C-alpha cells in the first residue's frame, strides 16, 4: 500500500481510512447540502456519529460481514451515510441508478444477492415493492425521505431515522462493536460493486476491492493534490466509478469538502454558489458552460463582443505556448493579466470557476478545442482516462503540462501500454477483482495479467496517450475505409446547438449522422428569429433548424478528408434524458442502441431519395 501524504487519512480499507479521518479532523466541515435553501454543513465528528448509527443499526438487523447493501438514490449526503454505514458494518455496497426501472432494480438486486436496500423516497420505494416478492434474499428496505409514507405499515420497511435510532440503542449496549467490525475486512476483500452500463447485454458487476480504492485515492492525490481547504461538488451519479472514487472516497483521504448539488438541473446555479476550488465533470457539462457563454456573447454589445474577442485571443496565444511547453513572454503575460481583469475573470465568475485551481474532465472524449478555450481562461483542464474495471483514472494530463486531445501519461500507480492491435492495456494494483458471477467474462477481460480496455489508441514520444475510439465502434465503410467516428462527433459537440451526435456508416457507401440538438440554445435561436414551434419535436422539424444544424455540420466537414465527411444527417426528434435507454447515466448516446432504435431513420439517409 502507498505511504500516506502528510495530512491524509490513514488506513488500508475504506472503514479504517474513514474512522481515522473522523478522529483527526473532528469539527472540520466534511460536507454540505441544502436544507430549505440554506447550505447545511456536516462536520467529520457529526458524520462519524451518523455513519456509526447507520452501521450499528444494520448490524442490529442481522446484517452480516460480506453481505450486499444496495443504494437506489440520487447523489446526496444520505447516499454517503448508507454507503459508509454498510462498509463500516463489514459489508459490500452496490449502487443502482435512480433512473433504472423496477425490472432493472430486480436484476441488480438478484445478481448481487442484496439483503438490504436503501431508497431515496416513495418513488424509488415503489420500484422495490413491485419486485420484492421475487427477491428472496432481500430482508430490509431503508427509506431516506419518508414524505408521503408516514402511515406506511410494512415490517420490511423502515426510515433512515428509525435505523439510526436502532443503531444508537445497539451501540449503547455494545460500545466496541464498530471497532471490532472495522477489523473484519482486509485490503484484498471486496468493498463495492459497480455495474457497467450494459450497452451490449446485461450489466456486469465489477468487483472493486478496498485495496483498489485506497491505491487509486492515493494516486489521485499525487497528481491532483487536494486538502481540507478545497471545495468540491458532487452531482454525478455515485453509483458511477468517477463520482464514487473522486467525489466520495478521495475526500475521505484528503479532507476536501463535498458539496452536494440540489439536482442535476441546478448545477449551473449551485456552482456559482459553491465556487469550487477543484471541479470534476463530464464533457457534457463543460460543453453547456461554453455554450452559455457563447450565447451571452452573441447577445452582447459590439464593444463587449470586441473586448471578448481580444481577451480570448490573448488567452489563446498564451495557451498555445503552454500547450507547446514554451515560456510565456513577459509582455504576453501582462496582456493576459489585463485580459483577465477586464473580461476573462467575469466569464469565470459567470460559470462559477473563478476560484478553481484546475478543472478535470473524463468519462467521455472531449474536443481539444474546448480544452484550449478553458486554458485561455487561465484554467488547466486536466483530461483523465480510466474505466470501472481500472477503478477510475489511470492516465492524467499533468498540471502545467496539459496536451489537449491527449489523456496524458500513465499515472504512477498503473502501467499502460498499446497492444499490437492498438488496444490500450492496463496493469496495476487498481485493476478490479473481476466480474461478479461471470468468470468467463473476467477471463476475457484480464488476460496475461493485463486489463483489456476495448479502447483504441496511440502513445507519443513523450508518453502521452491518445484515445482514437472504441474497438467495437470503428466504422469500416463499404469502400474499405476505416473511420474513427468519435473525432467527428467531438468536433460537432463543440457547437452550442448540438448536444451529441452519432456517426453512422459501417458497411455503408458514405457517412451519415444522427444529431441531438441542444434544446435550450436552439429554442432561444428560434425565438430570436420568430420561428414558430410548439414543442421539442416540432422544433427539430423546422426547416430553419435543420438548416442551422446543416451549417454546423458543414463547418466540421471542412476539417476532414472527403471520405470522412458527413453526407446526410437527421435530427433525433425525442428529447432524451438519463431515464431513456439511449443515454448512459453520464449522458452519452449509446451507439449500438441508437443504431437499433433509429434503424428506419438511418435507412432513410441511404435511400435513393435521400
Amino acid at each position: 500500500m502507498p505511504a500516506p501524504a502528510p495530512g491524509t487519512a490513514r488506513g488500508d480499507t475504506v472503514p479504517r481510512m474513514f474512522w481515522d479521518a473522523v478522529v483527526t479532523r473532528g469539527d472540520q466541515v466534511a460536507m454540505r447540502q441544502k436544507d430549505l435553501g440554506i447550505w447545511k454543513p456536516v462536520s467529520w465528528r457529526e458524520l462519524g456519529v451518523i455513519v456509526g448509527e447507520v452501521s450499528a443499526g444494520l448490524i442490529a438487523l442481522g446484517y452480516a460481514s460480506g453481505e450486499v447493501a444496495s443504494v437506489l438514490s440520487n447523489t446526496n449526503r444520505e447516499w454517503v451515510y448508507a454507503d459508509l454505514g454498510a462498509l463500516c458494518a463489514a459489508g459490500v455496497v452496490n449502487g443502482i441508478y435512480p433512473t433504472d426501472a423496477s425490472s432493472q432494480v430486480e436484476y441488480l438486486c438478484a445478481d448481487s444477492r442484496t439483503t438490504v436496500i436503501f431508497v431515496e423516497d416513495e418513488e424509488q420505494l415503489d420500484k422495490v415493492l413491485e419486485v420484492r416478492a421475487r427477491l428472496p434474499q432481500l430482508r430490509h428496505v431503508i427509506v431516506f425521505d419518508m414524505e408521503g409514507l408516514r402511515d406506511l405499515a410494512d415490517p420490511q420497511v423502515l426510515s433512515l431515522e428509525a435505523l439510526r435510532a436502532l443503531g444508537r440503542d445497539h451501540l449503547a449496549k455494545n460500545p466496541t462493536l464498530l471497532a471490532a467490525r472495522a477489523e473484519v475486512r482486509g485490503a484484498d476483500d471486496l468493498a463495492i460493486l459497480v455495474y457497467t452500463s450494459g450497452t451490449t447485454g446485461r450489466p456486469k458487476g465489477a468487483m472493486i476491492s478496498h485495496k483498489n480504492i485506497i491505491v487509486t485515492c492515493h494516486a489521485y492525490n499525487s497528481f491532483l493534490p487536494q486538502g481540507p481547504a478545497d471545495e468540491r461538488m458532487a452531482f454525478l451519479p455515485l453509483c458511477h466509478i468517477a463520482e464514487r472514487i473522486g467525489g466520495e472516497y478521495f475526500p475521505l483521504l484528503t479532507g476536501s469538502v463535498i458539496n452536494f448539488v440540489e439536482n442535476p438541473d441546478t448545477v449551473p446555479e449551485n456552482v456559482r454558489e459553491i465556487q469550487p476550488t477543484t471541479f470534476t465533470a463530464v464533457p457534457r457539462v463543460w460543453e453547456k458552460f461554453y455554450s452559455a457563454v457563447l450565447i451571452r456573447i452573441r447577445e452582447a454589445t459590439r464593444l463587449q463582443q470586441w473586448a471578448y474577442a481580444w481577451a480570448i485571443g490573448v488567452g489563446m496565444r498564451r495557451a498555445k505556448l503552454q500547450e507547446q511547453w514554451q515560456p510565456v513572454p513577459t509582455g504576453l503575460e501582462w496582456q493576459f493579466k489585463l485580459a483577465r481583469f477586464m473580461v476573462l475573470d467575469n466569464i469565470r465568475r459567470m460559470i462559477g470557476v473563478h476560484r478553481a485551481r484546475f478543472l478535470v474532465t473524463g468519462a467521455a472524449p472531449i474536443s481539444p478545442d474546448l480544452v484550449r478555450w478553458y486554458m485561455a481562461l487561465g484554467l488547466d483542464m486536466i483530461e483523465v482516462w480510466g474505466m470501472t474495471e481500472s477503478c477510475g483514472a489511470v492516465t492524467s494530463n499533468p498540471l502545467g503540462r496539459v496536451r489537449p486531445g491527449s489523456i496524458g501519461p500513465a499515472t504512477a500507480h498503473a502501467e499502460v501500454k498499446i497492444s499490437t492491435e492498438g488496444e490500450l492495456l492496463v496493469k496495476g494494483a487498481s485493476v478490479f477483482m473481476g466480474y461478479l458471477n461471470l468468470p468467463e467474462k473476467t477471463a476475457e477481460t484480464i488476460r496475461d495479467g493485463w486489463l483489456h480496455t476495448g479502447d483504441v489508441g496511440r502513445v507519443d514520444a513523450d508518453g502521452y496517450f491518445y484515445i482514437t475510439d472504441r474497438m467495437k465502434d470503428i466504422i469500416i465503410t463499404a469502400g474499405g475505409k476505416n473511420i474513427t467516428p468519435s473525432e467527428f462527433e467531438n468536433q460537432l459537440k463543440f457547437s452550442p446547438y448540438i448536444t451529441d451526435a452519432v456517426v453512422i456508416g459501417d458497411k455503408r457507401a458514405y457517412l451519415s449522422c444522427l444529431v441531438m440538438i441542444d434544446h435550450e440554445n436552439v429554442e432561444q435561436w428560434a425565438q430570436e428569429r420568430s420561428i414558430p414551434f410548439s414543442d421539442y419535436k416540432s422544433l427539430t422539424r423546422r426547416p430553419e433548424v435543420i438548416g442551422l444544424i446543416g451549417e454546423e455540420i458543414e463547418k466540421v466537414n471542412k476539417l476532414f478528408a472527403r471520405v470522412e465527411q458527413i453526407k446526410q444527417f437527421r435530427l433525433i426528434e425525442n428529447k432524451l434524458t438519463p431515464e431513456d435507454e439511449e443515454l448512459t447515466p453520464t449522458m452519452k448516446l449509446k451507439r449500438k442502441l441508437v443504431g437499433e432504435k433509429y434503424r428506419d431513420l438511418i435507412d432513410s439517409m441511404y435511400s435513393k431519395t435521400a
Side-chain angles (χ1 to χ4, degrees), residues 193 205-208 431-436 438 442 446:
L193 293 170
M207 298 186 290
I208 308 292
V431 172
F432 79 142
M433 302 168 68
Y435 295 116
L436 182 70
L438 296 170
T442 301
I446 303 178

Side-chain angles (χ1 to χ4, degrees), residues 116-132:
V116 177
I117 185 167
F118 292 84
V119 300
E120 182 175 4
D121 51 22
E122 184 178 10
E123 177 188 355
Q124 304 300 346
L125 175 63
D126 287 342
K127 296 177 185 178
V128 177
L129 296 182
E130 184 180 334
V131 300
R132 69 170 167 178

Side-chain angles (χ1 to χ4, degrees), residues 302-505:
R302 287 189 177 183
L303 179 61
Q304 291 171 324
Q305 290 175 346
W306 175 87
Y308 169 79
W310 169 78
I312 206 71
V314 171
M316 284 293 186
R317 292 200 300 276
R318 180 176 180 271
K320 184 176 181 180
L321 291 171
Q322 291 178 316
E323 180 181 344
Q324 297 169 346
W325 303 349
Q326 299 294 320
V328 179
T330 303
L332 180 57
E333 194 62 53
W334 277 107
Q335 285 187 61
F336 180 69
K337 289 181 186 295
L338 181 62
R340 277 199 60 175
F341 176 75
M342 293 182 62
V343 179
L344 301 181
D345 279 358
N346 290 330
I347 292 174
R348 288 170 59 146
R349 288 190 185 93
M350 171 187 157
I351 296 172
V353 295
H354 183 60
R355 294 201 304 155
R357 295 189 291 115
F358 54 82
L359 311 175
V360 182
T361 183
I366 189 169
S367 167
D369 287 338
L370 189 59
V371 174
R372 293 184 180 101
W373 185 80
Y374 281 97
M375 290 176 65
L377 297 181
L379 291 161
D380 265 0
M381 174 164 276
I382 309 299
E383 185 168 4
V384 300
W385 170 82
M387 55 196 305
T388 300
E389 291 84 349
S390 65
C391 193
V394 289
T395 73
S396 172
N397 274 269
L399 285 168
R401 294 179 77 85
V402 172
R403 192 165 278 179
S406 161
I407 56 172
T411 57
H413 75 299
E415 188 178 349
V416 182
K417 71 176 184 179
I418 306 290
S419 73
T420 54
E421 294 80 21
E423 183 181 11
L424 270 74
L425 308 181
V426 178
K427 179 187 288 187
S430 69
V431 172
F432 79 142
M433 302 168 68
Y435 295 116
L436 182 70
N437 306 323
L438 296 170
E440 292 181 359
K441 287 289 184 183
T442 301
E444 290 176 14
T445 305
I446 303 178
R447 303 196 298 273
D448 299 322
W450 289 91
L451 170 65
H452 288 245
T453 67
D455 279 331
V456 178
R458 60 183 178 86
V459 61
D460 66 18
D462 295 312
Y464 280 62
F465 287 89
Y466 298 77
I467 299 292
T468 54
D469 225 310
R470 292 288 291 170
M471 293 189 74
K472 63 186 179 183
D473 290 342
I474 291 177
I475 291 172
I476 303 176
T477 65
K481 176 67 176 178
N482 281 30
I483 305 291
T484 54
S486 62
E487 293 182 35
F488 199 103
E489 292 162 357
N490 289 338
Q491 288 294 333
L492 273 185
K493 288 186 284 185
F494 199 49
S495 164
Y497 304 115
I498 295 174
T499 293
D500 208 347
V502 172
V503 172
I504 312 293

Side-chain angles (χ1 to χ4, degrees), residues 558-575:
K558 294 176 182 178
L559 305 175
F560 290 85
R562 188 169 183 82
V563 71
E564 299 171 315
Q565 294 178 356
I566 299 299
K567 302 296 191 294
Q568 292 284 335
F569 72 94
R570 297 288 187 272
L571 305 186
I572 295 175
E573 296 183 348
N574 302 317
K575 186 177 181 180

Side-chain angles (χ1 to χ4, degrees), residues 106-345:
E106 178 185 355
Y107 170 76
L108 295 172
C109 287
D111 190 64
S112 62
R113 299 178 67 83
T114 291
T115 61
V116 177
I117 185 167
F118 292 84
V119 300
E120 182 175 4
D121 51 22
E122 184 178 10
E123 177 188 355
Q124 304 300 346
L125 175 63
D126 287 342
K127 296 177 185 178
V128 177
L129 296 182
E130 184 180 334
V131 300
R132 69 170 167 178
R134 298 187 292 275
L135 296 171
Q137 299 287 332
L138 185 63
R139 300 193 302 267
H140 300 285
V141 184
I142 317 298
V143 185
F144 297 157
D145 182 359
M146 291 293 289
E147 184 177 355
L149 298 170
R150 297 299 174 186
D151 297 327
L152 178 68
D154 189 310
Q156 279 192 311
V157 180
L158 69 160
S159 68
L160 182 63
E161 287 304 315
L163 179 70
R164 288 181 57 187
L166 186 64
R168 282 194 293 274
D169 292 342
H170 200 51
L171 277 174
K173 300 170 186 174
N174 303 275
T176 62
L177 177 66
L178 298 179
R181 280 289 175 124
E183 299 304 315
V184 171
R185 306 285 279 182
D188 293 319
D189 287 325
L190 176 62
I192 64 174
L193 293 170
V194 180
Y195 278 84
T196 60
S197 58
T199 56
T200 57
R202 285 285 199 179
K204 301 184 293 292
M207 298 186 290
I208 308 292
S209 71
H210 287 278
K211 182 178 181 179
N212 294 151
I213 295 169
I214 300 297
V215 165
T216 301
C217 289
H218 281 282
Y220 282 13
N221 206 38
S222 68
F223 59 85
L224 297 173
Q226 297 179 30
D230 281 306
E231 300 275 351
R232 11 179 344 112
M233 290 173 57
F235 63 96
L236 299 172
L238 274 167
C239 38
H240 190 280
I241 196 70
E243 194 71 275
R244 190 73 159 281
I245 300 295
E248 181 187 352
Y249 300 141
F250 188 25
L252 293 187
L253 176 74
T254 64
S256 55
V257 180
I258 312 170
N259 295 274
F260 294 97
V261 304
E262 295 166 86
N263 60 67
D265 293 332
T266 63
V267 169
E269 173 189 340
N270 291 156
V271 69
R272 288 190 289 270
E273 294 174 332
I274 296 163
Q275 299 181 48
T277 59
T278 69
F279 191 178
T280 300
V282 295
R284 179 66 57 85
V285 173
W286 303 124
E287 291 157 3
K288 290 289 286 184
F289 287 155
Y290 167 77
S291 294
V293 170
L294 211 61
I295 294 298
R296 288 280 291 273
I297 295 300
R298 290 177 180 176
E299 296 172 345
T301 65
R302 287 189 177 183
L303 179 61
Q304 291 171 324
Q305 290 175 346
W306 175 87
Y308 169 79
W310 169 78
I312 206 71
V314 171
M316 284 293 186
R317 292 200 300 276
R318 180 176 180 271
K320 184 176 181 180
L321 291 171
Q322 291 178 316
E323 180 181 344
Q324 297 169 346
W325 303 349
Q326 299 294 320
V328 179
T330 303
L332 180 57
E333 194 62 53
W334 277 107
Q335 285 187 61
F336 180 69
K337 289 181 186 295
L338 181 62
R340 277 199 60 175
F341 176 75
M342 293 182 62
V343 179
L344 301 181
D345 279 358

Side-chain angles (χ1 to χ4, degrees), residues 515-517 536-537 540 571-577 580 582 597-598:
V515 175
M516 185 163 65
I517 64 169
Y536 183 84
K537 180 176 286 187
T540 62
L571 305 186
I572 295 175
E573 296 183 348
N574 302 317
K575 186 177 181 180
L576 303 177
T577 71
D580 292 294
E582 297 99 307
K597 189 164 184 177
Y598 298 97

